[in-house]
Amino acid sequence: MTAEFGHFALVLALMVATLQMVIPLIGAARGWRGWMAFADSAAQVQFVLIAGAFAMLMYAFITSDFSLEVVTANSHSAKPMLYKVSGTWGNHEGSLLLWVMILALFGAMVAWFGGALPDALRARTLAVQAAIGVAFLTFLLFTSNPFARLDVIPADGRDLNPLLQDPGLAFHPPFLYLGYVGLSMTFSFAIAALIEGRVDAAWARWVRPWALMAWIMLTIGIALGSWWAYYELGWGGWWFWDPVENASFMPWLLSAALLHSAIVVEKRDTLKSWTILLAILAFSFSLIGTFIVRSGVLTSVHAFATDPTRGLFVLGILFVAIGGSLTLYALRAERMRATTAFALVSRESGLVLNNVLLAVSCAVVFIGTMWPLIAEAVTGEKVSVGPPFFNITFTPFMIALAMVLPVGAMLPWKRAKLGRTMKPLWGMLAASVALGALVWTLQTGGRMLAPVGAALATWVILGVVADLAQKAGGWRARPATARARLAGLPRSEWGKAVAHAGLGVLIFGIAGLTAWEQQDIRTLAVGDSFDLGGYTFTLDGVEAGRGPNYSTNMATVTVRRNGGVVAVLNPEKRFYPVQRMPTTEAGIQSRPLRDLYVSLGDQQPDGTWAMWSWIKPFANWIWFGAFMMAAGGGLSLSDRRYRVGAARARGTQAVPAQ
């Protein structure tokens, strides 16, 4: 009966969401407080119902209830418990239910923590959020019912995709969805503001925490996915510009732009139209990502569905959400005029340039991702767009962003003098260029990527140091005075510093790994050795074994340097009999300055084994930098201004748009 309870809860949630979509809008238009207050109660009830349905589905996976079609298709009684739990969202139906539950969670959070919001704005925001919920609950119930039962119950299930049976993939989707769906909240705030016809500094302060939360979760989710691809797929890479990777990266770029744009609205009451547009576009690209993952129009190692009917349904949601919101934006944008002006050289201009670079970067990724689909529709020919295209077209914009970041962060508001701003940065610039030249010299020629990456990373990090030093009173300030000033900085300033420094670490990790990694591919008999990058790799043996739901060939590879043992690695080649699918488990020794990475291939007819080996310098700096950025976002989110929120001005009421 648990499945029937879950299905009934979803039907009730759809009914509640429909009421939440209509009643608060009428109440806000008429000024009826009771009708507006209905949004809070409905949002909480909707979340409880969907969370209950999700719990019922998880229970079915844990207990291996193979009467449910989705459990049979994506689970197995011998699967470890962690993957029975994560199997709940390791498929199209369950992941969509998780998507809808998080959507309802964000609506409930506005009801719980949005007491400082004006009644009309909160009611309209929750009504828009409910409209999104109605669309996806309808999609879930009519095309992707997770509680559909089988007429004939099988003895066991068909198991979860082996690639998803990994701790990294157990946590990667929930974080990504918290980011994807979190952008629905900024979208709802934007549409509510357009309906109301008013955007001001208070609105920007209310929106920023939601945008920041979504950006943090997207950062963590993307980093976890990249890390999983690095150690699980066995190909030695960490990013492949896969369509599904791009589907999460595009909203991340736009949410980063939204964060910086909202700062200008909050501080200077300008860029209001642009900030509203970014809020719309960021969530629109989340919906585009949903379409890519669930329609089957583009192939990927981690796409969920290939059913064109579902793709058409998502396309319909896309058309209504994006078309409707942009139409409303066109009608209302005239009311979002700026009330202040700023000079060409100013903090505002720096943030505008930041936004332009991020938005154009997103456009480049979008074109590259969708071009195979567009080209096939127009010409009938199948084309592919791979990493070389993205590396050539995307990288220059990121280089430009890194170059302007330290300067833009230190420019004063409204009007600035570039020479005065650069004064504390000249030394940092000289040190960065010197380090780049040193790297060029030490690598005795070769690719420019490493020197440029080292110089840019140093420039970004030293720019953070210069900014903090300036806020502490300059380099000549007394230590006690400097400590007091730094201790008095708001957490948002420290968050900005940590996030920007994390970007510098990330840049250096990418440049160092890409430029200096060393690779060897060969076949080896047991006992054979070879040299790579000053290390000696020896294949000591390959033993057959069994896991809970797979068989494995596990190699023992000893790595020596100067005669001493540095590492003993155990790469595996696994085979999952239920899915008839092999996977590769790399053997990796991670150190702060380099990774030793070995991947085992198939046994050859002559008895030798194929083996891929890499020395990967600074690999961990990539993920450390990404998590530094997320930690910086967390510091900013903990700032008192965003925990308490902006108080409503006395005696003011939201005026319904005429």
Side-chain angles (χ1 to χ4, degrees):
M1 288 294 291
T2 55
E4 284 68 31
F5 281 131
H7 186 248
F8 185 58
L10 289 180
V11 173
L12 285 178
L14 176 58
M15 296 170 62
V16 172
T18 304
L19 293 174
Q20 182 186 334
M21 176 179 67
V22 176
I23 292 176
L25 282 180
I26 298 173
R30 302 276 180 101
W32 297 343
R33 289 185 176 275
W35 288 44
M36 288 189 282
F38 176 81
D40 293 343
S41 301
Q44 295 173 71
V45 169
Q46 185 190 162
F47 170 66
V48 170
L49 289 170
I50 298 175
F54 187 80
M56 294 297 99
L57 184 63
M58 183 178 290
Y59 179 77
F61 271 90
I62 291 173
T63 59
S64 297
D65 182 359
F66 297 120
S67 68
L68 290 186
E69 183 179 352
V70 69
V71 178
T72 299
N74 297 281
S75 192
H76 190 272
S77 58
K79 190 169 62 174
M81 181 56 67
L82 173 62
Y83 305 131
K84 287 185 178 181
V85 173
S86 64
T88 310
W89 56 80
N91 56 85
H92 167 71
E93 292 82 1
S95 67
L96 188 59
L97 179 54
L98 176 64
W99 205 103
V100 174
M101 184 180 73
I102 293 173
L103 184 75
L105 171 63
F106 276 102
M109 288 173 67
V110 170
W112 294 332
F113 306 117
L117 290 167
D119 293 339
L121 179 63
R122 186 170 72 250
R124 289 186 172 109
T125 299
L126 288 175
V128 175
Q129 191 77 356
I132 302 170
V134 167
F136 278 93
L137 281 168
T138 303
F139 178 36
L140 181 68
L141 286 168
F142 288 94
T143 72
S144 313
N145 182 10
F147 298 105
R149 288 197 182 273
L150 294 171
D151 295 330
V152 178
I153 303 175
D156 216 327
R158 296 196 289 271
D159 208 357
L160 180 66
N161 184 338
L163 290 175
L164 303 181
Q165 296 187 40
D166 180 86
L169 258 290
F171 300 105
H172 162 65
F175 277 105
L176 266 190
Y177 288 178
L178 284 166
Y180 270 145
V181 185
L183 290 172
S184 69
M185 207 67 255
T186 60
F187 175 85
S188 296
F189 268 103
I191 299 304
L194 287 174
I195 294 172
E196 193 169 287
R198 187 178 65 185
V199 174
D200 53 20
W203 177 88
R205 183 170 294 184
W206 290 319
V207 165
R208 277 193 69 198
W210 301 102
L212 189 55
M213 189 185 305
W215 180 84
I216 292 168
M217 295 305 170
L218 271 176
T219 303
I220 295 173
I222 291 171
L224 285 173
S226 168
W227 183 47
W228 166 80
Y230 176 73
Y231 72 78
E232 173 66 21
L233 297 183
W235 61 292
W238 57 276
W239 192 262
F240 193 64
W241 295 106
D242 177 272
V244 176
E245 290 176 331
N246 296 346
S248 60
F249 190 45
M250 290 184 288
W252 184 89
L253 291 168
L254 288 177
S255 61
L258 173 61
L259 280 175
H260 291 86
S261 179
I263 295 173
V264 183
V265 179
E266 181 184 349
K267 299 288 187 182
R268 298 288 299 146
D269 198 36
T270 190
L271 296 188
K272 292 187 286 188
S273 292
W274 173 245
T275 303
I276 291 285
L277 181 60
L278 279 176
I280 293 172
L281 291 178
F283 182 60
S284 296
F285 272 91
S286 291
L287 294 179
I288 290 171
T290 301
F291 174 70
I292 290 173
V293 172
R294 300 180 188 277
S295 65
V297 296
L298 294 171
T299 57
S300 166
V301 68
H302 34 17
F304 273 125
T306 57
D307 185 349
T309 304
R310 291 169 176 171
L312 288 174
F313 203 112
V314 178
L315 197 60
I317 296 175
L318 265 173
F319 179 79
V320 173
I322 299 177
S325 59
L326 291 179
T327 300
L328 180 61
Y329 174 79
L331 294 173
R332 297 285 192 176
E334 185 66 21
R335 298 191 179 196
M336 309 297 163
R337 289 181 178 178
T339 59
T340 58
F342 53 88
L344 181 62
V345 180
S346 63
R347 175 76 66 87
E348 294 93 327
S349 294
L351 290 170
V352 168
L353 181 57
N354 158 287
N355 273 219
V356 169
L357 291 171
L358 288 169
V360 173
S361 300
C362 178
V364 167
V365 177
F366 176 71
I367 292 170
T369 304
M370 301 302 293
W371 187 252
L373 183 63
I374 297 170
E376 185 176 359
V378 174
T379 66
E381 297 181 3
K382 291 186 178 294
V383 299
S384 62
V385 176
F389 167 83
F390 292 103
N391 293 336
I392 292 172
T393 58
F394 179 82
T395 303
F397 296 106
M398 290 298 100
I399 292 175
L401 183 65
M403 290 173 65
V404 303
L405 183 62
V407 181
M410 294 185 66
L411 285 170
W413 293 103
K414 192 174 182 180
R415 185 177 294 105
K417 292 184 178 180
L418 188 58
R420 180 178 297 178
T421 303
M422 283 297 300
K423 190 174 181 180
L425 288 170
W426 285 119
M428 306 303 185
L429 180 60
S432 304
V433 173
L435 180 63
L438 177 63
V439 170
W440 169 256
T441 303
L442 292 177
Q443 72 173 17
T444 61
R447 300 177 64 183
M448 283 296 294
L449 179 62
V452 171
L456 283 174
T458 307
W459 169 240
V460 171
I461 294 170
L462 292 183
V464 171
V465 174
D467 189 21
L468 290 175
Q470 194 80 349
K471 288 181 171 63
W475 297 107
R476 296 182 180 179
R478 294 179 180 179
T481 303
R483 285 195 298 271
R485 289 185 175 182
L486 289 175
L489 287 177
R491 291 185 186 179
S492 59
E493 287 293 333
W494 283 107
K496 180 184 78 172
V498 173
H500 287 183
L503 177 62
V505 173
L506 175 68
I507 290 171
F508 184 78
I510 293 172
L513 174 61
T514 305
W516 294 327
E517 73 172 352
Q518 300 177 64
Q519 178 183 4
D520 180 273
I521 304 174
R522 65 177 66 210
T523 57
L524 297 169
V526 173
D528 286 352
S529 299
F530 66 93
D531 294 327
L532 177 65
Y535 295 88
T536 300
F537 293 72
T538 303
L539 178 62
D540 292 325
V542 181
E543 295 185 0
R546 295 197 65 82
N549 58 336
Y550 61 85
S551 60
T552 180
N553 288 310
M554 179 184 292
T556 300
V557 179
T558 303
V559 185
R560 296 178 175 84
R561 188 169 192 176
N562 299 325
V565 175
V566 175
V568 177
L569 306 178
N570 297 111
E572 295 182 63
K573 193 72 175 181
R574 293 180 179 177
F575 181 75
Y576 290 78
V578 176
Q579 290 248 336
R580 309 295 299 171
M581 181 175 175
T583 66
T584 301
E585 302 289 325
I588 306 173
Q589 185 199 58
S590 292
R591 292 293 182 267
L593 299 182
R594 60 100 184 108
D595 280 6
L596 299 175
Y597 187 117
V598 176
S599 178
L600 184 68
D602 295 322
Q603 189 173 26
Q604 306 302 301
D606 61 358
T608 60
W609 292 87
M611 198 166 82
W612 289 258
S613 307
W614 288 269
I615 298 174
K616 293 183 169 292
F618 305 108
N620 286 319
W621 290 44
I622 295 172
W623 300 290
F624 181 69
F627 285 111
M628 274 185 70
M629 294 168 70
L635 267 178
S636 294
L637 191 61
S638 69
D639 193 298
R640 186 177 182 276
R641 291 179 301 165
Y642 305 121
R643 284 184 286 119
V644 175
R648 188 190 312 171
R650 292 183 181 178
T652 60
Q653 287 291 330
V655 179
Q658 300 299 322

